[in-house]
Amino acid sequence: MATKWVYMFSEGDATMRNLLGGKGANLAEMTKIGLPVPQGFTVTTEACTQYYEDGRQINDEIMAQVMEAMSKMEEITGKKFGDKENPLLVSVRSGARASMPGMMDTILNLGLNEEVVETMAAKSGNPRWAWDCYRRFIQMFSDVVMEVGKKYFEALIDEMKAKKGVSADTELDADDLKELASQFKAEYKNKLGEDFPTDPKLQLVEAIKAVFRSWDNPRANVYRRDNDIPYSWGTAVNVQMMAFGNMGETSGSGVAFTRDPATGENKFYAEVLMNAQGEDVVAGIRTPMEFDELKNIGMTDIHDELLNIANILEDHYRDMQDMEFTIENHKLYMLQCRNGKRTAKAALKIANDLVKEGKITKEKAVSMIDPRNLDSLLHGSFSKESLKNAVQIGKGLPAAPGAACGKVVFTAEDAKAQGAAGEKVVLVRLETSPEDIEGMKAAQGILTARGGMTSHAAVVARGMGACCVAGCSAIVMDEENKTFSLGGHTYKEGDIISFDGSTGNIYDGALPVQDGSIEDEDFKTIMEWADEIRTLKVRTNADTPADARKAVELGAEGIGLVRTEHMFFEGNRIDAFREMICSDTKEEREEALEKILPLQQGDFEGIYEAMEGRPVTIRFLDPPLHEFVPTEEEDFEKLAKAKGKTVEEIKVLCEGLHEFNPMMGHRGVRLAASYPEIAVMQTKAVIRAAIKVNQAHPDWNVVPEIMIPLVSKVHELKFVKQYVVETADAEIAAAGIDMKYSVGTMIEIPRACVMADKIAKYAEFFCFGTNDLTQMTYGFSRDDSGKFLQDYYDKKIMENDPFAKLDQEGVGELIKLAVKKGHEMRPEIHCGICGEHGGDPSSVEFCHSIGLDYVSCSPFRVPIARLAAAQAALKD
Ligand code: PEP
Ligand code: MG
């Protein structure tokens, strides 16, 4: 059978969302339950995909079905397209599977031409309305379909209003609007060299094409990436008979919510704008009146009817509904309903209240909250209101959520000093390094010109819950003179900017930040339900006791990754660390390690204490050396003094550490293989700390998990493990106790996945380091891929950043292979993931589906992972 590309509203229902889009499916559903919906049809999302496959053409088969649906619509409505007696006008609107408010295009009043408008003016006795429709149509068609004239049209309206001495467009009369229509058409011809199309069928075809085309417009592409909506879904197009809200004072347009979308309060809310079409309400041209005022203008019946419909719809969909309606000559029409967009706070309250009201189950409540939405609850955010007038100057990667606003500083020292003096500052850097850590802490947020989603700034900021926008390559940086340029502005120290770590958007000037909080009963309840449902455990990546405590507060069940090199970011610890890496003899190194040992042991004790007996996986040193070698003259001098060498000697040593590709350099297990004394020192620290904490808390039973990073060959693990085991056993024996510990490995090199059975012989657990695994599977640099990923998005080579959202078909297959091989060799092996993907909802779902035991993510993403894991379990 030939493909069905077009469905009348009467042929569909709410279950057909994938094919009809959200709007189309809900229009069909409202039709089915007998609500007053102006009739029409939906061109499917598959037709959109076909349009792109056919080289942006609507093929004959789709066209024929559109025309057939048009005839059916004429029969149903008793009106005719382009008719002089009883003309049919339609709206043409987009509607994807997932709602994308304001991202795509809408055209109203289609079907008008010079003759039809005259008929409408004469027959209705309301020429003002007829000409108002026509000028709106020319305006929208030109803007959306032909992409011309928007600004010019607005200027013409302003000129006309000035000429007439009026301020509202409702004050323009029929003749003014007629005059505007002819000015608009002249502008159209002027820009395109042809007359404005008069044939309604041609208008319709062009409008459908324009909606399909709008699926690929830049703002829709950005929205999709931010909201994890695949490009392949396409948008449907809804063609619907017009209901006119601009027919006079007994007509109007409005929007309504069954509950408050900001707070979640169970209170119906609606706004109506009389004598207006839908886009006027959205555009905020005039201030709408409150819903109850309908009663004061003789429309109590409409008021009651809408309230009744709102109840029917909420009961039907069992979720808060957002509706659009039109009143045409005192008759109500429903134009749209959908599950309303809401703040995180409202989402939690609504879900919880619906359970209390007996309308939904706990499982449904857990499944209806978008885990990514929790970000705004845990972190600060900009209010929708303030963003309306914000001037965006650029966009980087949304590296760590939150909202930052403050005075620009260019160095970590300035951030620290000014932060301590009570200033709100934002740290703007080319890229960050471990030395910046304290400045990063003192700043409201971090903005970098370089680096990807797993770059130093991103990982560290996420760990500490700070806002970070990374890799904004449009920034032209002059660190020396403390200025940078972006979006046509040049900023110097002290100038104020704002940025949003959840979207990557950067704004000029100050925007008010609203704080986040987890002190919310609804949040607690929903998270408890999520924990009852999920089977996947959630651990955290934490390097300090403070991070560990925060993570426990947010529900972490253990630590999946302590990056021990991160422990050297604080204070002057980096000095000892540099002394260690800049050693040229074993003795020198051991001397430096002796200084480090008590610091590490103290750190581990603090972390075990914070975790109160929960499992803790400690990863042995894995420093990409370039992040740690000194670059500043004074640091060279300091190091030289500490090591009793000359600055020149130190520089030569550091130069010797230079690597062309440090991410693939002398790090991880390779470092321990070259210098086993490092592994010995770390083992002592891990075991001594555990012995001490277990003695202090006999009821806890800490079983340290030692993790060796970056293994590619089983021999590497075997070699280093022998030092670990020897040292650990000796420490335990010396303490005269019986304490268990385990040794496992990170799997973060493709070769390790392929050889996982051999590796599992020596590894009691696997933890997938998907940051490096992604880097090495793709061969994309973690730090630099941002530079070309935008080209890949634009060219549809890739849809998402693989460092943020796990590439399931490539990297994921390698993980699956490793899990399978690991279990073949060691059935009881436990497997987790600790790359940044551990806090990404779709990646968490994947981890659940392939049977991992846990995901581990930064503290502030723990609730997101808990919720995503529960939702994954509900999909089984
Ligand atoms: C990884 O590679 O995924 C990982 C967690 O380790 P790091 O980011 O420290 O390299
Ligand atoms: Mg790694």
Side-chain angles (χ1 to χ4, degrees):
M1 208 188 86
T3 309
K4 187 167 168 59
W5 302 106
V6 179
Y7 287 75
M8 304 306 293
F9 292 168
S10 53
E11 291 178 303
D13 63 42
T15 63
M16 295 166 74
R17 186 179 192 95
N18 292 358
L19 189 63
L20 303 180
K23 191 177 291 163
N26 287 341
L27 282 165
E29 187 74 13
M30 286 199 289
T31 301
K32 198 169 134 190
I33 59 177
L35 299 183
V37 175
Q39 286 302 291
F41 59 87
T42 303
V43 189
T44 65
T45 53
E46 287 177 357
C48 177
T49 311
Q50 191 64 41
Y51 159 87
Y52 282 103
E53 265 173 34
D54 292 340
R56 299 186 177 231
Q57 293 299 325
I58 299 182
N59 70 32
D60 294 347
E61 194 179 278
I62 298 173
M63 211 59 235
Q65 291 190 24
V66 168
M67 289 308 152
E68 197 187 319
M70 210 57 233
S71 308
K72 283 191 195 153
M73 203 170 152
E74 289 176 338
E75 265 170 46
I76 297 169
T77 59
K79 298 180 178 190
K80 258 185 130 36
F81 221 23
D83 194 62
K84 290 185 204 83
E85 279 305 303
N86 196 7
L88 171 64
L89 300 194
V90 297
S91 66
V92 180
R93 307 171 82 190
S94 62
R97 271 195 224 181
S99 82
M100 295 170 55
M103 291 301 133
M104 290 177 291
D105 293 326
T106 289
I107 296 160
L108 303 182
N109 310 327
L110 188 141
L112 277 171
N113 56 33
E114 209 72 27
E115 287 173 340
V116 173
V117 74
E118 292 287 7
T119 308
M120 274 176 38
K123 283 192 66 165
S124 65
N126 188 347
R128 188 197 177 279
W129 161 70
W131 286 105
D132 187 44
C133 288
Y134 194 34
R135 70 92 191 163
R136 285 171 188 268
F137 171 55
I138 302 168
Q139 208 173 334
M140 277 196 243
F141 187 91
S142 306
D143 176 26
V144 171
V145 180
M146 298 320 221
E147 295 163 9
V148 294
K150 188 177 170 125
K151 263 197 228 145
Y152 185 76
F153 292 149
E154 278 161 14
L156 287 173
I157 297 174
D158 287 344
E159 263 173 42
M160 181 64 83
K161 285 200 280 198
K163 194 170 110 190
K164 303 288 291 190
V166 299
S167 58
D169 41 7
T170 42
E171 293 169 283
L172 296 175
D173 65 21
D175 287 337
D176 303 333
L177 294 166
K178 188 173 178 175
E179 169 62 25
L180 272 179
S182 85
Q183 287 177 2
F184 287 1
K185 282 199 294 186
E187 164 65 6
Y188 183 94
K189 184 160 188 181
N190 181 23
K191 280 271 160 35
L192 294 171
E194 57 189 61
D195 286 324
F196 189 81
T198 52
D199 176 1
K201 289 209 168 106
L202 181 71
Q203 295 171 352
L204 180 66
V205 176
E206 289 305 320
I208 293 175
K209 274 194 208 165
V211 173
F212 283 160
R213 203 165 54 225
S214 70
W215 178 248
D216 197 22
N217 74 29
R219 66 178 191 277
N221 281 321
V222 170
Y223 186 91
R224 266 197 302 277
R225 216 165 29 252
D226 287 350
N227 290 278
D228 219 353
I229 300 171
Y231 178 75
S232 60
W233 281 3
T235 180
V237 184
N238 299 292
V239 179
Q240 186 175 25
M241 185 183 83
M242 282 299 302
F244 296 100
N246 58 340
M247 269 193 158
E249 290 312 316
T250 55
S251 301
S253 291
V255 291
F257 292 90
T258 56
R259 300 181 189 227
D260 188 324
T263 64
E265 199 187 340
N266 188 0
K267 199 173 126 205
F268 179 76
Y269 176 80
E271 284 182 337
V272 197
L273 200 56
M274 299 312 285
N275 197 11
Q277 285 200 323
E279 81 271 16
D280 300 341
V281 184
V282 183
I285 298 176
R286 280 180 279 142
T287 309
M289 66 183 195
E290 298 240 342
F291 176 62
D292 276 352
E293 280 183 48
L294 278 175
K295 291 187 192 163
N296 303 335
I297 56 167
M299 292 213 194
T300 307
D301 50 344
I302 299 284
H303 173 278
D304 295 350
E305 189 184 355
L306 185 63
L307 211 52
N308 184 36
I309 288 176
N311 286 332
I312 291 174
L313 284 173
E314 190 178 281
D315 279 350
H316 190 73
Y317 287 101
R318 294 176 182 264
D319 195 356
M320 185 265 272
Q321 295 299 298
D322 154 359
M323 297 156 289
E324 284 180 20
F325 58 91
T326 282
I327 306 163
E328 178 184 307
N329 279 335
H330 210 129
K331 177 162 174 26
L332 179 66
Y333 290 98
M334 300 306 294
L335 303 186
Q336 170 173 323
C337 76
R338 63 183 170 199
N339 295 342
K341 292 261 177 231
R342 61 203 78 179
T343 62
K345 195 172 165 41
L348 294 163
K349 176 160 173 57
I350 290 168
N352 211 345
D353 284 353
L354 287 169
V355 174
K356 283 188 206 150
E357 291 160 26
K359 291 188 176 164
I360 60 170
T361 60
K362 291 177 183 179
E363 286 75 14
K364 171 79 183 148
V366 165
S367 68
M368 68 197 269
I369 290 162
D370 182 347
R372 283 164 309 186
N373 213 351
L374 294 181
D375 266 346
S376 59
L377 193 76
L378 302 171
H379 299 274
S381 56
F382 298 124
S383 72
K384 253 198 176 141
E385 287 311 303
S386 64
L387 287 177
K388 266 188 197 156
N389 300 319
V391 180
Q392 189 176 340
I393 48 170
K395 189 173 175 75
L397 298 171
C405 167
K407 291 185 176 170
V408 171
V409 293
F410 291 87
T411 67
E413 291 77 51
D414 290 341
K416 217 173 125 184
Q418 298 191 29
E423 284 286 3
K424 285 193 171 11
V425 295
V426 291
L427 178 60
V428 183
R429 304 278 283 149
L430 212 48
E431 61 203 345
T432 64
S433 76
E435 286 157 290
D436 294 337
I437 190 81
E438 291 179 73
M440 289 170 76
K441 267 192 192 162
Q444 304 297 309
I446 301 112
L447 169 62
T448 71
R450 293 194 197 137
M453 292 294 279
T454 59
S455 63
H456 177 267
V459 170
V460 172
R462 228 171 277 144
M464 59 196 201
C467 165
C468 175
V469 172
C472 176
S473 49
I475 289 181
V476 180
M477 189 69 138
D478 181 353
E479 279 185 320
E480 205 151 298
N481 293 308
K482 297 194 172 176
T483 67
F484 74 92
S485 310
L486 181 64
H489 304 239
T490 298
Y491 295 90
K492 54 184 188 326
E493 194 174 45
D495 289 347
I496 295 183
I497 60 167
S498 305
F499 47 87
D500 185 333
S502 309
T503 60
N505 291 340
I506 307 160
Y507 304 95
D508 182 50
L511 296 181
V513 177
Q514 32 188 38
D515 289 338
S517 154
I518 56 159
E519 293 311 314
D520 181 303
E521 283 310 312
D522 295 312
F523 171 74
K524 287 183 189 150
T525 309
I526 299 276
M527 293 316 287
E528 272 167 30
W529 294 340
D531 290 344
E532 285 165 20
I533 294 165
R534 73 188 160 90
T535 53
L536 186 68
K537 296 229 175 307
V538 177
R539 294 195 187 187
T540 190
N541 297 352
D543 315 323
T544 64
D547 287 355
R549 268 190 297 276
K550 185 79 211 168
V552 169
E553 195 190 314
L554 293 169
E557 296 165 290
I559 293 186
L561 174 64
V562 177
R563 288 180 165 102
T564 49
E565 64 282 359
H566 281 195
M567 303 176 128
F568 294 94
F569 289 166
E570 299 267 350
N572 51 11
R573 286 173 168 215
I574 195 152
D575 300 339
F577 194 80
R578 283 180 176 154
E579 286 172 34
M580 194 268 292
I581 60 176
C582 293
S583 297
D584 48 5
T585 64
K586 187 171 177 219
E587 290 66 37
E588 264 186 48
R589 195 169 306 104
E590 277 178 340
E591 203 179 303
L593 287 169
E594 274 306 307
K595 288 192 197 164
I596 294 175
L597 174 58
L599 301 175
Q600 285 257 278
Q601 186 183 328
D603 287 335
F604 297 151
E605 282 168 21
I607 285 181
Y608 293 143
E609 288 280 351
M611 296 308 289
E612 300 173 339
R614 294 175 182 86
V616 175
T617 306
I618 293 174
R619 180 182 73 183
F620 277 9
L621 275 181
D622 181 19
L625 290 180
H626 70 300
E627 285 186 10
F628 292 87
V629 288
T631 49
E632 306 287 327
E633 201 57 33
E634 59 180 296
D635 291 331
F636 283 122
E637 283 164 18
K638 202 168 169 192
L639 191 53
K641 202 165 159 210
K643 302 212 60 133
K645 290 188 161 59
T646 65
V647 169
E648 280 321 301
E649 280 169 335
I650 288 294
K651 282 191 178 164
V652 169
L653 264 173
C654 288
E655 228 150 76
L657 291 173
H658 172 82
E659 292 178 317
F660 283 104
N661 206 338
M663 274 299 192
M664 297 202 185
H666 200 184
R667 57 182 281 224
V669 69
R670 300 160 201 169
L671 207 58
S674 298
Y675 313 119
E677 53 275 20
I678 299 178
V680 168
M681 179 281 288
Q682 292 205 287
T683 307
K684 283 183 191 164
V686 165
I687 299 294
R688 287 180 192 176
I691 292 173
K692 199 163 161 198
V693 172
N694 274 335
Q695 277 167 349
H697 304 277
D699 50 327
W700 281 3
N701 190 24
V702 174
V703 179
E705 297 169 358
I706 293 173
M707 180 154 77
I708 310 296
L710 229 65
V711 164
S712 56
K713 238 180 132 57
V714 65
H715 303 84
E716 293 173 308
L717 179 61
K718 196 176 157 197
F719 176 80
V720 174
K721 187 177 174 183
Q722 129 204 339
Y723 284 91
V724 171
V725 170
E726 233 169 62
T727 312
D729 290 351
E731 289 290 329
I732 293 168
I737 53 154
D738 182 24
M739 189 184 83
K740 292 204 171 6
Y741 67 95
S742 63
V743 182
T745 182
M746 288 191 80
I747 300 277
E748 45 189 344
I749 293 182
R751 189 177 197 281
C753 295
V754 178
M755 306 301 292
D757 45 349
K758 306 269 185 319
I759 293 174
K761 202 167 164 207
Y762 296 93
E764 287 161 84
F765 61 88
F766 283 170
C767 188
F768 292 92
T770 44
N771 301 335
D772 277 312
L773 190 56
T774 301
Q775 168 167 259
M776 293 190 230
T777 302
Y778 267 109
F780 288 177
S781 157
R782 291 166 62 160
D783 290 337
D784 301 319
S785 57
K787 279 189 198 149
F788 59 84
L789 279 178
Q790 188 57 50
D791 293 337
Y792 273 33
Y793 303 147
D794 293 346
K795 293 176 178 142
K796 304 286 180 301
I797 295 170
M798 266 171 119
E799 274 189 67
N800 302 97
D801 184 341
F803 291 103
K805 182 178 172 187
L806 190 76
D807 159 46
Q808 297 180 13
E809 51 181 20
V811 178
E813 277 303 305
L814 283 170
I815 297 176
K816 272 203 244 174
L817 177 71
V819 170
K820 181 169 156 281
K821 288 190 157 224
H823 278 99
E824 276 165 16
M825 172 60 72
R826 189 188 284 271
E828 74 286 4
I829 195 165
H830 78 111
C831 298
I833 173 183
C834 63
E836 294 305 303
H837 306 90
D840 167 65
S842 72
S843 311
V844 171
E845 184 181 335
F846 175 77
C847 293
H848 171 87
S849 76
I850 62 165
L852 293 193
D853 297 289
Y854 65 88
V855 294
S856 187
C857 55
S858 52
F860 285 89
R861 290 167 93 184
V862 165
I864 296 174
R866 284 161 71 197
L867 189 56
Q871 292 181 351
L874 287 171
K875 283 189 188 158
D876 283 346

PDB file of all heavy atoms in Angstrom, residues 619 622 667 710 746 748 769 771-772 782, ligand 2:
ATOM      1  N   ARG A 619      41.511   6.184  42.177  1.00  0.00           N
ATOM      2  CA  ARG A 619      42.305   5.958  40.972  1.00  0.00           C
ATOM      3  C   ARG A 619      43.719   6.449  41.193  1.00  0.00           C
ATOM      4  O   ARG A 619      43.925   7.560  41.689  1.00  0.00           O
ATOM      5  CB  ARG A 619      41.697   6.704  39.789  1.00  0.00           C
ATOM      6  CG  ARG A 619      42.532   6.471  38.543  1.00  0.00           C
ATOM      7  CD  ARG A 619      42.013   7.219  37.377  1.00  0.00           C
ATOM      8  NE  ARG A 619      42.263   8.646  37.480  1.00  0.00           N
ATOM      9  CZ  ARG A 619      41.830   9.519  36.568  1.00  0.00           C
ATOM     10  NH1 ARG A 619      41.103   9.104  35.558  1.00  0.00           N
ATOM     11  NH2 ARG A 619      42.106  10.793  36.698  1.00  0.00           N
ATOM     12  N   ASP A 622      47.044   9.906  37.343  1.00  0.00           N
ATOM     13  CA  ASP A 622      46.828   9.926  35.898  1.00  0.00           C
ATOM     14  C   ASP A 622      46.910  11.364  35.408  1.00  0.00           C
ATOM     15  O   ASP A 622      45.950  11.894  34.871  1.00  0.00           O
ATOM     16  CB  ASP A 622      45.449   9.320  35.592  1.00  0.00           C
ATOM     17  CG  ASP A 622      45.169   9.283  34.110  1.00  0.00           C
ATOM     18  OD1 ASP A 622      46.127   9.365  33.309  1.00  0.00           O
ATOM     19  OD2 ASP A 622      43.975   9.161  33.747  1.00  0.00           O
ATOM     20  N   ARG A 667      51.232   9.041  31.031  1.00  0.00           N
ATOM     21  CA  ARG A 667      50.277   9.228  32.121  1.00  0.00           C
ATOM     22  C   ARG A 667      49.701   7.866  32.521  1.00  0.00           C
ATOM     23  O   ARG A 667      50.005   6.862  31.904  1.00  0.00           O
ATOM     24  CB  ARG A 667      49.170  10.212  31.703  1.00  0.00           C
ATOM     25  CG  ARG A 667      48.414   9.807  30.450  1.00  0.00           C
ATOM     26  CD  ARG A 667      47.354  10.817  30.042  1.00  0.00           C
ATOM     27  NE  ARG A 667      46.153  10.694  30.844  1.00  0.00           N
ATOM     28  CZ  ARG A 667      44.901  10.716  30.338  1.00  0.00           C
ATOM     29  NH1 ARG A 667      44.703  10.905  29.039  1.00  0.00           N
ATOM     30  NH2 ARG A 667      43.884  10.600  31.124  1.00  0.00           N
ATOM     31  N   LEU A 710      44.138   3.795  32.485  1.00  0.00           N
ATOM     32  CA  LEU A 710      44.724   3.834  31.141  1.00  0.00           C
ATOM     33  C   LEU A 710      45.450   2.549  30.724  1.00  0.00           C
ATOM     34  O   LEU A 710      46.410   2.582  29.962  1.00  0.00           O
ATOM     35  CB  LEU A 710      45.690   5.033  31.050  1.00  0.00           C
ATOM     36  CG  LEU A 710      45.513   5.927  29.821  1.00  0.00           C
ATOM     37  CD1 LEU A 710      44.167   6.625  29.840  1.00  0.00           C
ATOM     38  CD2 LEU A 710      46.607   6.979  29.771  1.00  0.00           C
ATOM     39  N   MET A 746      40.609   0.934  35.059  1.00  0.00           N
ATOM     40  CA  MET A 746      39.747   1.719  34.174  1.00  0.00           C
ATOM     41  C   MET A 746      39.872   1.111  32.800  1.00  0.00           C
ATOM     42  O   MET A 746      40.946   0.659  32.401  1.00  0.00           O
ATOM     43  CB  MET A 746      40.206   3.173  34.119  1.00  0.00           C
ATOM     44  CG  MET A 746      39.898   3.895  35.390  1.00  0.00           C
ATOM     45  SD  MET A 746      40.152   5.664  35.207  1.00  0.00           S
ATOM     46  CE  MET A 746      38.665   6.175  34.383  1.00  0.00           C
ATOM     47  N   GLU A 748      39.563   2.452  29.264  1.00  0.00           N
ATOM     48  CA  GLU A 748      39.405   3.739  28.566  1.00  0.00           C
ATOM     49  C   GLU A 748      40.224   3.789  27.279  1.00  0.00           C
ATOM     50  O   GLU A 748      40.427   4.856  26.696  1.00  0.00           O
ATOM     51  CB  GLU A 748      39.740   4.911  29.495  1.00  0.00           C
ATOM     52  CG  GLU A 748      40.988   4.739  30.319  1.00  0.00           C
ATOM     53  CD  GLU A 748      41.170   5.808  31.387  1.00  0.00           C
ATOM     54  OE1 GLU A 748      40.512   6.862  31.349  1.00  0.00           O
ATOM     55  OE2 GLU A 748      42.013   5.586  32.275  1.00  0.00           O
ATOM     56  N   GLY A 769      36.200   4.603  31.572  1.00  0.00           N
ATOM     57  CA  GLY A 769      36.558   6.019  31.489  1.00  0.00           C
ATOM     58  C   GLY A 769      36.175   6.495  30.096  1.00  0.00           C
ATOM     59  O   GLY A 769      36.974   6.496  29.167  1.00  0.00           O
ATOM     60  N   ASN A 771      35.556   9.293  28.897  1.00  0.00           N
ATOM     61  CA  ASN A 771      36.149  10.508  28.321  1.00  0.00           C
ATOM     62  C   ASN A 771      37.296  10.107  27.403  1.00  0.00           C
ATOM     63  O   ASN A 771      37.343  10.477  26.227  1.00  0.00           O
ATOM     64  CB  ASN A 771      36.696  11.433  29.411  1.00  0.00           C
ATOM     65  CG  ASN A 771      35.628  11.848  30.390  1.00  0.00           C
ATOM     66  OD1 ASN A 771      34.448  11.856  30.061  1.00  0.00           O
ATOM     67  ND2 ASN A 771      36.022  12.199  31.598  1.00  0.00           N
ATOM     68  N   ASP A 772      38.211   9.327  27.958  1.00  0.00           N
ATOM     69  CA  ASP A 772      39.337   8.892  27.133  1.00  0.00           C
ATOM     70  C   ASP A 772      38.896   7.868  26.099  1.00  0.00           C
ATOM     71  O   ASP A 772      39.405   7.859  24.975  1.00  0.00           O
ATOM     72  CB  ASP A 772      40.440   8.304  28.026  1.00  0.00           C
ATOM     73  CG  ASP A 772      41.304   9.420  28.606  1.00  0.00           C
ATOM     74  OD1 ASP A 772      41.720  10.293  27.837  1.00  0.00           O
ATOM     75  OD2 ASP A 772      41.532   9.424  29.822  1.00  0.00           O
ATOM     76  N   ARG A 782      39.979  15.476  23.317  1.00  0.00           N
ATOM     77  CA  ARG A 782      38.995  15.926  24.318  1.00  0.00           C
ATOM     78  C   ARG A 782      38.991  17.428  24.448  1.00  0.00           C
ATOM     79  O   ARG A 782      37.967  18.042  24.731  1.00  0.00           O
ATOM     80  CB  ARG A 782      39.369  15.376  25.705  1.00  0.00           C
ATOM     81  CG  ARG A 782      39.219  13.956  25.879  1.00  0.00           C
ATOM     82  CD  ARG A 782      39.936  13.465  27.139  1.00  0.00           C
ATOM     83  NE  ARG A 782      39.436  14.040  28.374  1.00  0.00           N
ATOM     84  CZ  ARG A 782      39.639  13.485  29.560  1.00  0.00           C
ATOM     85  NH1 ARG A 782      40.303  12.344  29.647  1.00  0.00           N
ATOM     86  NH2 ARG A 782      39.189  14.053  30.647  1.00  0.00           N
TER      87      ARG A 782
HETATM   88 MG    MG B   2      40.736   9.014  31.618  1.00  0.00          MG
END
